[in-house]
Amino acid sequence: RGLRFPNTFHFLAEPYLFPLDNRGMQITFELDRPAQVSLSYGMTLPLSNSIELQAKKENLYSAQIQDLQPGTAYFYQLSAKDSAGKILSTGTLTFRTAPSASQPIVFGVVSDTEARPQINEKIGSLLWDERVDFTIHLGDLTDGGQKKQKWQWSQEFFPGSSALYSRIPNLPVPGNGEGDLHWFNYYHPQSEEKGYYEVSYGLGDFFILDSNQPKDLQVGGRQYLWLQNALQKSTAPWKIVLMHHAPYSADEDDYGNTWKGTSTYGDRRFQDLVGLLEKEGVRVFFFG
């Protein structure tokens, strides 16, 4: 069940952020039991706004705060009370909304942290020092955290990453470590059960792909058609595409060992995708 502590009221997933747009922020978290939950927020202390939250799935909560000011710092706090009257509180946390499309942005990119909470914690500390607006995680958030392995999320990923992601939004990408998408979709409602999604942030439109299904990213595939349509609609000066699997590599033995023979110089399954990105003017392509 992914419980960290027996018979103790606690978070299975500490709060983590996702930017809806420059006027909205999504705050998601999970408790180990049913509770009465409130979210307070505001630009100054004491916090002036408070809303009661209802669980979306089981004991998972995902609140969307709207009508915020762009590029503005906010404080927030979560409080929960279980049926026995036990209280759980985050204390005061912070976030900043995305700026308008005329402002520059700074973001960090990481990948393949897998089952190493101490690595996530160290990377989080370094990214915090850089004052990033948000981060991108290019997949393998867990070391195979599929349906029967919830503990890899609740006991490894969230404990290691919560210090950063409770204050800095993250754009997660599904890797082969999240191949069945069960917990990836559960914890990331923005994917709408598909495993892929898009978000605008400042000067950029970001397109997050699920590369676990290569055929879906070939001409005529559902995800290919979605991406083609989304890229053609985008008017952002920066179109940035993110996925986990490498479509090409400079390594001498990734796609045929050039010490012994010829190389394909890339994964042929993603050639259609690469051609689409070139055709539609994608500026940057990150992969894990």
Side-chain angles (χ1 to χ4, degrees):
R1 292 159 52 204
L3 297 178
R4 297 186 206 168
F5 311 105
N7 304 316
T8 301
F9 189 23
H10 65 284
F11 286 101
L12 294 185
E14 286 85 355
Y16 52 100
L17 304 172
F18 177 78
L20 299 171
D21 50 40
N22 63 6
R23 292 186 175 271
M25 186 66 70
Q26 176 177 283
I27 304 172
T28 307
F29 61 96
E30 185 180 28
L31 303 172
D32 75 311
R33 66 191 65 184
Q36 294 178 327
V37 179
S38 65
L39 166 64
S40 301
Y41 65 96
M43 289 188 286
T44 59
L45 297 173
L47 301 173
S48 56
N49 304 288
S50 183
I51 55 176
E52 301 298 312
L53 303 181
Q54 300 295 323
K56 299 292 185 182
K57 301 176 183 177
E58 300 178 29
N59 299 314
L60 181 79
Y61 295 77
S62 188
Q64 295 188 350
I65 308 176
Q66 306 280 5
D67 300 321
L68 303 175
Q69 296 299 313
T72 302
Y74 284 85
F75 301 97
Y76 77 98
Q77 179 171 328
L78 292 164
S79 298
K81 182 170 69 173
D82 72 2
S83 59
K86 295 179 180 178
I87 302 295
L88 188 63
S89 175
T90 60
T92 304
L93 296 168
T94 56
F95 66 79
R96 182 181 293 275
T97 52
S100 65
S102 63
Q103 299 298 311
I105 56 177
V106 177
F107 57 91
V109 183
V110 299
S111 187
D112 295 76
T113 51
E114 299 183 359
R116 294 183 287 272
Q118 73 279 13
I119 299 299
N120 270 317
E121 188 171 18
K122 180 64 175 177
I123 289 173
S125 177
L126 294 169
L127 286 169
W128 177 260
D129 284 345
E130 298 298 330
R131 300 297 188 264
V132 296
D133 293 301
F134 64 95
T135 65
I136 291 167
H137 195 301
L138 289 168
D140 283 8
L141 291 76
T142 63
D143 193 20
Q146 300 181 5
K147 187 173 183 179
K148 294 182 179 180
Q149 298 165 315
K150 181 173 182 173
W151 59 272
Q152 292 198 3
W153 293 88
S154 62
Q155 298 185 32
E156 294 182 341
F157 177 72
F158 290 116
S161 63
S162 64
L164 184 69
Y165 295 157
S166 62
R167 297 177 185 267
I168 302 295
N170 181 49
L171 310 186
V173 178
N176 49 292
E178 297 77 49
D180 68 356
L181 294 181
H182 179 82
W183 295 115
F184 183 88
N185 286 334
Y186 176 85
Y187 284 121
H188 303 112
Q190 65 268 16
S191 74
E192 299 179 344
E193 305 295 330
K194 299 178 296 187
Y196 56 89
Y197 59 96
E198 64 177 299
V199 62
S200 297
Y201 197 105
L203 292 159
D205 282 350
F206 296 80
F207 305 89
I208 290 82
L209 305 180
D210 173 22
S211 55
N212 290 296
Q213 307 296 329
K215 290 184 178 180
D216 202 27
L217 287 167
Q218 295 172 358
V219 172
R222 180 185 62 166
Q223 199 172 167
Y224 181 97
L225 294 173
W226 168 83
L227 178 62
Q228 182 180 47
N229 183 59
L231 290 173
Q232 290 174 353
K233 286 183 177 180
S234 172
T235 59
W238 287 85
K239 300 178 185 180
I240 299 177
V241 172
L242 320 169
M243 77 178 196
H244 179 68
H245 294 85
Y248 38 74
S249 169
D251 204 348
E252 73 271 12
D253 60 356
D254 276 352
Y255 301 107
N257 190 337
T258 55
W259 290 100
K260 299 179 180 179
T262 59
S263 171
T264 63
Y265 300 107
D267 190 331
R268 295 306 192 197
R269 300 175 301 171
F270 295 120
Q271 279 193 311
D272 291 350
L273 172 65
V274 172
L276 175 64
L277 305 193
E278 293 172 343
K279 178 182 178 182
E280 299 300 337
V282 171
R283 299 286 292 275
V284 182
F285 185 19
F286 288 114
F287 45 85

